[in-house]
Structure formats: structure tokens, C-alpha cells
Amino acid sequence: MLAASADAGQVVTILIMAVALGMDALSLGVGIGMKGIRLRDVLRISIVIGFFHILMPLLGMFTGHYMSSLLGHVTTYFAGGLLILLGGHMVYNSFKGDGVHVLDHRSPLGLLLFALGVSIDSFSVGVSLGMFQSDLVLTVLAFGFCGGAMAMLGLLLGRKVSRNLGDYGEAVGGAILLAFGFMFMF
């Protein structure tokens, strides 16, 4: 019974983190969607972002697992600190006011850079989760699905709503990562 409760807690934690990381894709998707985007491009961008939200945490988890085997229990504090820094950076960037940089999302290079840009934080979280021995398949599938779905939602919302939602979405995602970082530290 206790093991099932711990497994359920891990699933909920991973899902919340996946949604928090997807907030970045949502917020940037809103910015691009507001510039005007075709539905075919919405699907293509969302699939590529979903793929990168699988690839980056997977690479991060392998890196975190390796670091954990080298450093032992010290990695718990490192992982928590990494989440705190990442969450703080996301919150800071959401209020900095620079907005979305101009990028041609239709070109292969632009699409690759955009997908990498919104997925790079998944690598850092993957490092942290790799140190905690989380479920690999569940984690990368949840991150990939949430990243792709939230990118699609952001792109579609961007066609309909104002720019303010994007900043708040990234701030909420950063606050969630900050909270998990503090949980891991204490």
C-alpha cells in the first residue's frame, strides 16, 4: 500500500513538472501565434517541440543518473538547487519584458532553434530527475506530450488572445519549478 502511494506521488510530481515545463512552450507559442500562423505550421511546430521535450529530458536524465552514481547523496541538494535556479530564471525572464525574439518559425533552422529554445530547460529538469531515479518512460512521455500539447494550445491561443498571457504562463511554470526545487532541498 505504501509503495503504491509513493508511485502515485511520483506520477503526480512528474505530471506537474511536465505541465510547468510546457508553460514555456505555451507562452512562446502564444507570441508566435499572435504574429499569424497557419494551422499546418501549428501542427508541425507542436510535433517538433514535443519531440524535443522527449529528447532533452532523456539526455538530462542519463546525465543526472551518471552524476548521481559519482556523487551520491550530494546530488539531492544539487538537483534541488538546479530546479530553484531554473524556476527563478523562468520567473525573471517572464517579467523582463524583452518579448519573443523575431524568428522565422517556418524555416527548418528557425523551427529547430525555437524547439531547442523552449526545450532546453527540460534538460536541466531531466538532470535533476535522473538523480532521483524517476520512471524514465513515464517522464519523457509526459514531458513530450505536455510540451507538444501546450505548444499547440499556445499557438492556437495566440491567434485569439492578447500578449499578456504568455508572460504569466512562463511565470507560473517558473514558480512551480521553484517550489519543487525547495521541496527537494528541505
Side-chain angles (χ1 to χ4, degrees), residues 77-101:
Y77 296 109
F78 178 76
L82 191 59
L83 287 176
I84 290 170
L85 288 174
L86 180 61
H89 181 69
M90 285 175 67
V91 170
Y92 172 75
N93 280 341
S94 71
F95 293 111
K96 197 165 73 169
D98 287 341
V100 177
H101 300 314

Side-chain angles (χ1 to χ4, degrees), residues 44-125:
R44 187 169 55 106
I45 290 170
S46 300
I47 289 171
V48 172
I49 288 173
F51 172 74
F52 271 85
H53 268 78
I54 289 173
L55 179 64
M56 298 306 286
L58 185 62
L59 293 173
M61 288 178 80
F62 287 134
T63 303
H65 181 68
Y66 177 72
M67 288 176 61
S68 179
S69 68
L70 289 177
L71 301 174
H73 294 291
V74 174
T75 57
T76 302
Y77 296 109
F78 178 76
L82 191 59
L83 287 176
I84 290 170
L85 288 174
L86 180 61
H89 181 69
M90 285 175 67
V91 170
Y92 172 75
N93 280 341
S94 71
F95 293 111
K96 197 165 73 169
D98 287 341
V100 177
H101 300 314
V102 177
L103 183 68
D104 183 10
H105 57 273
R106 293 174 298 246
S107 73
L109 179 61
L111 177 58
L112 178 70
L113 291 175
F114 177 67
L116 183 61
V118 300
S119 303
I120 197 72
D121 51 355
S122 297
F123 175 81
S124 302
V125 173

Side-chain angles (χ1 to χ4, degrees), residues 119-151:
S119 303
I120 197 72
D121 51 355
S122 297
F123 175 81
S124 302
V125 173
V127 170
S128 298
L129 292 175
M131 294 177 194
F132 290 113
Q133 308 297 326
S134 66
D135 185 338
L136 178 74
V137 174
L138 173 67
T139 301
V140 297
L141 289 179
F143 282 18
F145 177 77
C146 284
M150 293 182 79

